[in-house]
């Protein structure tokens, strides 16, 4: 059995997540041995649009490092949250959401999940994509 220890994790290569956004590999179970948390950086150029999804039984916390983004959420994406640089956002488990950057500038955000892998528990909801 591997024992856990403190470690520094360097930013890894970019990859495209199931939601359609580009992430920089970060702290995960695979890179740090974490069991209940992951943290990555997401890059949202102007015009970026996620696929509507939820994180099954997983909480999400976001800190906007640069720029701004809008997020539609709720059972029919009927609610809107706008987050700007220096602000935090919270998404409870099982909450359908769709993130879009229509700000005219890039957005960069730090994203944490209560799962060892940031792609764990994602459920795509294509039936909601056309609502926004």
């Amino acid at each position: 059995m591997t024992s856990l220890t403190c470690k520094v994790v360097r930013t890894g290569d970019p990859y495209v997540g199931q939601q359609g956004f580009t992430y920089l590999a970060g702290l995960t179970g695979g890179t740090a041995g974490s069991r209940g948390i992951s943290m990555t950086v997401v890059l949202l150029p102007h015009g970026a649009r996620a696929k509507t999804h939820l994180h099954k039984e997983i909480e999400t916390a976001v800190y906007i490092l640069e720029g701004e983004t809008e997020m539609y959420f709720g059972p029919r994406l009927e609610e809107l949250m706008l987050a700007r640089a220096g602000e935090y956002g919270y998404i409870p488990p099982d909450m359908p959401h769709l993130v879009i950057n229509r700000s005219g500038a890039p957005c960069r955000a730090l994203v944490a999940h209560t799962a060892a892998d940031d792609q764990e528990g994602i459920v795509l909801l294509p039936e909601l994509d056309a609502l926004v």
Side-chain angles (χ1 to χ4, degrees):
M1 177 172 209
T2 304
S3 63
L4 295 176
T5 188
C6 298
K7 57 179 68 172
V8 171
V9 175
R10 292 185 183 267
T11 298
D13 293 331
Y15 64 94
V16 176
Q18 296 176 63
Q19 312 91 313
F21 284 154
T22 299
Y23 295 83
L24 298 178
L27 188 149
T28 65
T31 61
S34 61
R35 295 176 285 182
I37 190 168
S38 61
M39 213 166 26
T40 58
V41 172
V42 65
L43 308 170
L44 308 171
H46 169 70
R49 178 187 172 106
K51 297 174 183 173
T52 305
H53 64 285
L54 60 78
H55 301 264
K56 188 78 175 151
E57 299 179 11
I58 295 170
E59 293 176 287
T60 303
V62 180
Y63 178 73
I64 306 297
L65 298 163
E66 167 188 355
E68 67 181 55
T69 188
E70 54 192 84
M71 184 183 79
Y72 293 85
F73 65 98
R76 305 281 303 153
L77 305 178
E78 65 277 6
E79 297 193 55
L80 173 62
M81 179 175 79
L82 186 62
R84 296 177 177 90
E87 296 179 331
Y88 295 86
Y90 171 72
I91 305 167
D94 306 309
M95 175 64 70
H97 58 285
L98 166 65
V99 178
I100 302 174
N101 179 3
R102 296 190 270 206
S103 70
C107 178
R108 196 166 48 98
L110 180 64
V111 181
H113 293 101
T114 56
D117 185 296
D118 72 301
Q119 296 295 296
E120 186 178 320
I122 292 176
V123 176
L124 297 176
L125 303 167
E127 66 278 10
L128 300 180
D129 283 336
L131 297 176
V132 176

